[in-house]
Amino acid sequence: MLPSESRLRRREDFATAVRRGRRVGRPLLVVHLYTGGATAEPANPHSAGGNFLPARAGFVVSKAVGVAVVRNRVKRRLRHLVAERIGDLPAGSLIVVRALPSAAEAQYADLARDLDSALRKLSASSPTGAGQ
């Protein structure tokens, strides 16, 4: 399960990841990654102490994906997949995973493949423009 301190909850955090981060699209999802977030919130009540912030993840699953039962199933799968991979992200990173409508019929393995592919592409790309 994804720990509470590793979850994005505030609108500003989602906006930072989406607007200032890098984006990679795949057939089932779009992943936004902002790696310049280590000092974005010095007064975060969820921080482990000092200026260290863990990588944090948020999920966007719109009504276009399906009814509530389907959306919640997609969110549960994505949370589990990201929880397994969040330790590989740089400290302070913000990641937003947006499910596309095709994710509703996707198998767990297909979601895992697309997420891994997106994260590989993001980690391979140069982080120099991430902290603009």
Side-chain angles (χ1 to χ4, degrees), residues 5-6 37-56 86-87 89-94:
E5 62 271 4
S6 295
T39 59
E41 295 180 10
N44 183 359
H46 299 292
S47 67
N51 288 333
F52 172 76
L53 291 176
R56 295 180 293 148
I86 200 157
L89 298 174
S93 297
L94 305 178

Side-chain angles (χ1 to χ4, degrees), residues 3 12 29 31 39 41 44 47 54-55 68 71 91 99 110 112 122 126 131:
E12 296 83 13
L29 45 87
V31 178
T39 59
E41 295 180 10
N44 183 359
S47 67
R71 293 193 309 268
D110 298 330
L122 286 167
S126 173

Side-chain angles (χ1 to χ4, degrees), residues 6-118:
S6 295
R7 300 279 303 276
L8 286 182
R9 295 195 188 324
R10 296 181 14 201
R11 173 186 289 258
E12 296 83 13
D13 295 336
F14 277 89
T16 298
V18 171
R19 291 185 186 139
R20 299 176 74 187
R22 292 167 291 151
R23 175 178 59 98
V24 172
R26 291 292 175 256
L28 303 176
L29 45 87
V30 177
V31 178
H32 300 267
L33 177 66
Y34 176 68
T35 55
T39 59
E41 295 180 10
N44 183 359
H46 299 292
S47 67
N51 288 333
F52 172 76
L53 291 176
R56 295 180 293 148
F59 306 92
V60 178
V61 183
S62 75
K63 287 185 178 180
V65 172
V67 295
V69 171
V70 173
R71 293 193 309 268
N72 288 331
R73 182 178 63 229
V74 170
K75 278 188 279 193
R76 280 193 307 271
R77 289 177 174 177
L78 291 173
R79 270 197 308 268
H80 186 266
L81 288 166
V82 170
E84 294 174 342
R85 293 155 176 82
I86 200 157
D88 299 333
L89 298 174
S93 297
L94 305 178
I95 182 171
V96 173
V97 180
R98 181 166 49 95
L100 299 177
S102 55
E105 292 86 29
Q107 297 296 316
Y108 183 85
D110 298 330
L111 289 170
R113 184 199 59 221
D114 274 11
L115 181 61
D116 287 338
S117 172

